[in-house]
Amino acid sequence: MNFKQFVKKWSDQLSKACEKISEPLYKMNPAAWTAKFQSLKRTLFPSQVHGVAGVVARLQKANDCILAGENGVGKTLASISVSYILGSKRVLILCPTHITKKWEREILMTLPAFNV
């Protein structure tokens, strides 16, 4: 039996075993952060809410997380939202110089009372 056949034959059992040993930190329920999401001046799409909530859940348990996505999916807005929900007092953003104004604009559109 080759690997492809093995995976095909045992995929259900392999999936169940993986689920058992790697329970997700975020269970698709952003209710704990609803008030924070509602206080943002920009509304996130449902998929962005889940992405942000997943990153928040991870950062509450660990010191690292990777948020990746294609251009235009809202990584900047998601990052701003994560920092806000976590109550960060100061945030250092390392980005190419040609998008520093974009970050400033998006922060102020999302959280107008903040200093940038």
Side-chain angles (χ1 to χ4, degrees):
M1 173 183 310
N2 66 31
F3 184 70
K4 186 176 179 179
Q5 292 167 328
F6 175 84
V7 171
K8 187 175 181 178
K9 180 177 181 178
W10 299 103
S11 62
D12 288 340
Q13 291 84 348
L14 290 168
S15 293
K16 288 175 186 169
C18 288
E19 287 173 8
K20 256 184 167 174
I21 63 171
S22 60
E23 186 177 336
L25 293 174
Y26 174 64
K27 297 182 173 72
M28 303 303 285
N29 183 1
W33 306 290
T34 299
K36 289 280 195 172
F37 280 118
Q38 291 174 344
S39 66
L40 296 171
K41 297 298 178 207
R42 294 169 66 197
T43 303
L44 281 72
F45 292 113
S47 59
Q48 291 172 316
V49 168
H50 290 303
V52 168
V55 171
V56 169
R58 167 68 181 175
L59 290 174
Q60 288 177 330
K61 303 255 184 211
N63 291 323
D64 58 8
C65 188
I66 295 173
L67 175 63
E70 296 180 16
N71 291 341
V73 299
K75 296 179 299 293
T76 302
L77 177 57
S79 300
I80 294 164
S81 303
V82 167
S83 298
Y84 175 66
I85 289 170
L86 289 173
S88 302
K89 301 294 182 208
R90 292 179 189 259
V91 177
L92 173 65
I93 299 164
L94 301 174
C95 64
T97 56
H98 69 282
I99 62 169
T100 55
K101 290 293 183 190
K102 173 190 181 258
W103 270 95
E104 180 179 9
R105 182 180 69 247
E106 290 208 28
I107 292 168
L108 293 174
M109 285 171 49
T110 309
L111 301 164
F114 280 52
N115 293 321
V116 181

